[in-house]
Amino acid sequence: MRKLVIAISMLALAASAAFADPILDRQALMKERGKIVGGLSKVVKGEEPFDAAAVLTQLQALQANAEKFDADALFPAGSDTGDTTASPKIWEDMAGFKATNAKYVADVKAAAAAAPADVDALKAQFGAIGSDCGTCHQTYRVKKG
């Protein structure tokens, strides 16, 4: 009987972990992404010196962040209300949303693989990434008042 109670308790714990708050999860992922992009942006703008090793580390962190993005887990049906700036367009056009994210992931991977050797190379890579962010935010994000 004790083993049954433990097994049920473990199952309940696993089920509760599987139902984490997708809004909080996606907000945390985007906050992390914004912090990394912000650091790269300072280098691109000349506010911080270019350091190839540090830039590569940031691009690899951005790639790891991008690869954690799972539209189905982060934007399940019913997670369109509450404290979120996710646009209803996400759920209306999930295929388009996923395609936009796939382009972003590909551009981040390409930037990390290229390991920019100077600030001009980084600017070219960062331009594509920034454009991807802008496209997604304009299409799939509700602007805060």
Side-chain angles (χ1 to χ4, degrees):
M1 182 67 166
R2 184 169 182 221
K3 287 183 180 180
L4 179 62
V5 170
I6 291 172
I8 291 171
S9 297
M10 295 299 288
L11 187 59
L13 179 63
S16 67
F19 292 107
D21 187 334
I23 293 173
L24 292 177
D25 292 346
R26 65 188 183 229
Q27 287 173 344
L29 190 71
M30 290 300 164
K31 251 183 209 173
E32 177 187 55
R33 184 174 294 183
K35 186 175 181 180
I36 298 165
V37 169
L40 288 167
S41 178
K42 287 180 181 182
V43 175
V44 167
K45 292 177 184 176
E47 296 170 4
E48 290 188 6
F50 180 85
D51 174 332
V55 164
L56 181 57
T57 297
Q58 287 180 300
L59 287 171
Q60 289 169 337
L62 194 59
Q63 179 177 338
N65 172 281
E67 290 173 343
K68 286 188 238 175
F69 189 92
D70 177 349
D72 294 322
L74 294 172
F75 297 88
S79 69
D80 56 338
T81 59
D83 182 22
T84 182
T85 57
S87 169
K89 291 179 185 174
I90 292 171
W91 293 271
E92 295 164 5
D93 181 23
M94 185 58 80
F97 180 62
K98 288 179 179 180
T100 299
N101 183 67
K103 182 177 180 333
Y104 168 78
V105 172
D107 288 341
V108 170
K109 283 182 177 182
D118 58 38
V119 73
D120 291 330
L122 175 61
K123 284 179 183 178
Q125 298 287 341
F126 194 74
I129 293 168
S131 176
D132 295 338
C133 293
T135 296
C136 192
H137 282 198
Q138 289 172 3
T139 308
Y140 298 107
R141 185 177 181 202
V142 175
K143 292 179 181 30
K144 288 187 175 181

